[in-house]
Amino acid sequence: MDAYNQTRSHHGQTGLGWSLVLLAFAQLITSLDFNIVYVALPELGARLGFTNQSLQWVVSAYALTFGGFLLLGGRAADLLGRRTMFIGALLIYALSSLLGGLATNSTLIIAARALQGMGGALLFPATLSLINTIFKEGTARNRALAVWGGAGASGLTLGSLLGGFLTQSFGWSSVFFVNVPLALIVVLGAIVAIPKDAAGSLSGRFDIAGAVTVTGGVTLLVFSLIQGPSYGWSAPLVLASDACAALLLLAFIAVEGRSREPLMPLRLFANRSLVTAMLITFIFMGTFSALPYFLTVLFQRVMGYDALQTGLAFLVPSLSIALGTQIGERLATKRGTQYTLMIGLIIGAAGTAILGRCIYPGGGYLVLVPGLIVAGIGQGMTWTGMWIAAAAGVDAKEQGVASGMASTSLQVGGAVGLAVLVAIAGSSFDGSAVGMSHLSIVEGTRNAIYGAAIGICVALVVALSARRSAE
């Protein structure tokens, strides 16, 4: 009996429905947390004594450990049990959120965010691989991924709104405390509703050498990409990080090629659908997902929005993304994954270009709405399509590591893309926008968004090439 049928026979359709609710809720929590913290940054920085230069570490500490531990988290889900890792990761997330809310200085909050990133790195591939093993490839999995993706988009909306409300009403610490009960609710539900890891399905030894080299290599690479814009790409620390990252990643490839039970089997790169998904997720995070960074600066520094108003401004694109995930699921079921990716990227590129065209001195929020809607729909369609592609043709026993590979591409792509777009926006453009005129911010934002549109077109070329190769 295969993994899918075994799960159904032991759990039933009703149980699978509740499992999907919990898995989607876990995705909502992680996306909720991202925007909650982002909106709360100004007050958090002022209360805990951050400088404009050090405040970025509230975001960077999370990104660093999240990106560095994703592949490790994916393989751990395969070897230690997806349900086990799902529950354990949520507990880490709850603990780190509690510590973050209790932090009294910048060092403690950065440490809490790093731990939170580690929890996210364990949670994301465990959640995704649970979906890909509980639901059979095809219509059932496509629908589950659309629900999961829609929950993430809803989390972005709720995070912006809830972050603004909590920050203004109860202070910055409340944006951390709110995660604790939410994570614990999912833990309790998972104990009851998530199918237990099948007896005898977990086998193999942990590739310690592979884990050390890839975690160290990716962490240093993400560190270099995060710090490059502020330290300078030729700074000794950045160059040293680049060199060490390259050496560790080369060592990782050598270790994996010789290992009997590798952390990341290199033969997975023969899966064309997975490789295409990895390339598209890399570009996706560096284009679509970088837009809120620039839009937040535009809303707060040019349009004068406070935290709550900024959250409300993101309501339109977040709802559009949620709609796009549902359209993407239906299109993937009827016309196939590659077709869905192409249409999603075409719509996304067009919407992003429209958005850039509507950013000009004196322009208000309403002129941005058409671009935000069209780009959001394209983003949602692409999001659903790329995760369907990442799971296609992968054995159930390796869904965790495949999820880790795709999500690592996503995270590294985010760091690369943001660094490139910040350079396009202007070397002095940063999240604080200190010392920049409104005109400079508007021009920098518009240039970055046009750069993102070009990047989305590159992803479209990748999708077209994959479709032609498959024919």
Side-chain angles (χ1 to χ4, degrees):
M1 183 181 294
D2 63 35
Y4 308 106
N5 292 329
Q6 187 177 31
T7 299
R8 280 171 172 74
S9 65
H10 285 99
H11 209 61
Q13 291 297 327
T14 301
L16 292 179
W18 280 111
S19 295
L20 179 57
V21 169
L22 289 169
L23 294 170
F25 195 39
Q27 173 67 0
L28 184 146
I29 290 172
T30 54
S31 58
L32 178 86
D33 178 68
F34 177 82
N35 267 12
I36 275 184
V37 171
Y38 201 64
V39 172
L41 280 179
E43 181 181 331
L44 185 156
R47 296 286 184 180
L48 297 185
F50 280 95
T51 64
N52 288 328
Q53 290 71 33
S54 64
L55 184 58
Q56 67 170 316
W57 275 103
V58 178
V59 175
S60 299
Y62 181 92
L64 202 62
T65 52
F66 189 93
F69 284 84
L70 273 168
L71 193 56
L72 181 63
R75 192 56 173 160
D78 288 334
L79 294 180
L80 304 179
R82 298 176 182 93
R83 178 177 180 267
T84 299
M85 290 303 300
F86 180 76
I87 292 173
L90 282 166
L91 291 174
I92 293 174
Y93 217 84
L95 175 62
S96 59
S97 296
L98 178 63
L99 294 175
L102 296 173
T104 56
N105 57 57
S106 58
T107 301
L108 291 176
I109 196 70
I110 289 173
R113 286 289 284 167
L115 182 61
Q116 201 171 45
M118 187 179 297
L122 300 178
L123 180 61
F124 192 95
T127 304
L128 191 54
S129 60
L130 276 168
I131 290 176
N132 292 333
T133 51
I134 289 175
F135 298 92
K136 193 174 182 65
E137 186 172 344
T139 301
R141 184 186 292 172
N142 294 353
R143 289 176 178 170
L145 286 170
V147 171
W148 172 77
S154 299
L156 294 177
T157 302
L158 293 174
S160 299
L161 295 173
L162 191 59
F165 171 75
L166 290 175
T167 301
Q168 290 192 181
S169 302
F170 305 103
W172 68 266
S173 60
S174 62
V175 304
F176 288 90
F177 288 139
V178 72
N179 289 327
V180 179
L182 294 178
L184 293 179
I185 288 170
V186 180
V187 167
L188 294 175
I191 293 172
V192 176
I194 299 290
K196 293 182 179 179
D197 299 312
S201 65
L202 309 176
S203 61
R205 295 179 299 176
F206 209 77
D207 180 9
I208 300 298
V212 170
T213 50
V214 74
T215 301
V218 174
T219 300
L220 286 171
L221 176 60
V222 173
F223 172 83
S224 173
L225 292 169
I226 290 172
Q227 295 304 310
S230 57
Y231 285 17
W233 295 107
S234 60
L237 182 60
V238 174
L239 292 176
S241 296
D242 287 334
C244 291
L247 290 173
L248 286 170
L249 292 174
L250 288 172
F252 171 68
I253 294 172
V255 167
E256 299 307 277
R258 298 179 180 180
S259 176
R260 293 182 178 179
E261 298 181 82
L263 180 74
M264 184 187 72
L266 297 181
R267 55 183 165 72
L268 286 176
F269 285 98
N271 184 322
R272 188 172 297 162
S273 181
L274 174 59
V275 172
T276 299
M278 290 176 65
L279 290 172
I280 291 177
T281 56
F282 179 88
I283 301 171
F284 178 98
M285 193 67 176
T287 54
F288 282 120
S289 296
L291 298 183
Y293 174 87
F294 297 96
L295 290 174
T296 298
V297 176
L298 181 72
F299 293 152
Q300 294 187 341
R301 301 295 176 179
V302 176
M303 298 184 181
Y305 290 0
D306 59 25
L308 182 57
Q309 289 172 321
T310 300
L312 289 169
F314 280 110
L315 181 61
V316 169
S318 297
L319 293 177
S320 300
I321 294 168
L323 175 61
T325 62
Q326 306 309 304
I327 296 173
E329 176 268 316
R330 288 166 174 79
L331 196 60
T333 300
K334 291 181 179 179
R335 300 295 301 271
T337 305
Q338 297 299 333
Y339 184 84
T340 302
L341 285 171
M342 287 190 303
I343 298 301
L345 289 167
I346 289 171
I347 293 173
T352 305
I354 292 170
L355 180 62
R357 180 68 180 82
C358 294
I359 294 175
Y360 53 83
Y365 179 77
L366 289 180
V367 298
L368 304 179
V369 169
L372 292 172
I373 292 174
V374 176
I377 291 173
Q379 181 175 349
M381 293 174 66
T382 305
W383 176 266
T384 299
M386 71 190 193
W387 293 115
I388 294 173
V394 178
D395 187 271
K397 295 180 180 179
E398 294 178 332
Q399 283 290 347
V401 69
S403 299
M405 290 166 66
S407 50
T408 298
S409 298
L410 191 79
Q411 190 66 19
V412 174
V416 172
L418 186 59
V420 171
L421 293 180
V422 166
I424 292 173
S427 59
S428 62
F429 193 104
D430 59 42
S432 62
V434 172
M436 295 187 70
S437 67
H438 285 187
L439 179 60
S440 296
I441 295 173
V442 168
E443 291 179 346
T445 301
R446 184 174 57 235
N447 291 339
I449 290 176
Y450 280 145
I454 294 171
I456 296 168
C457 290
V458 174
L460 176 60
V461 172
V462 172
L464 286 169
S465 299
R467 183 177 173 84
R468 289 173 182 173
S469 299
E471 292 177 348

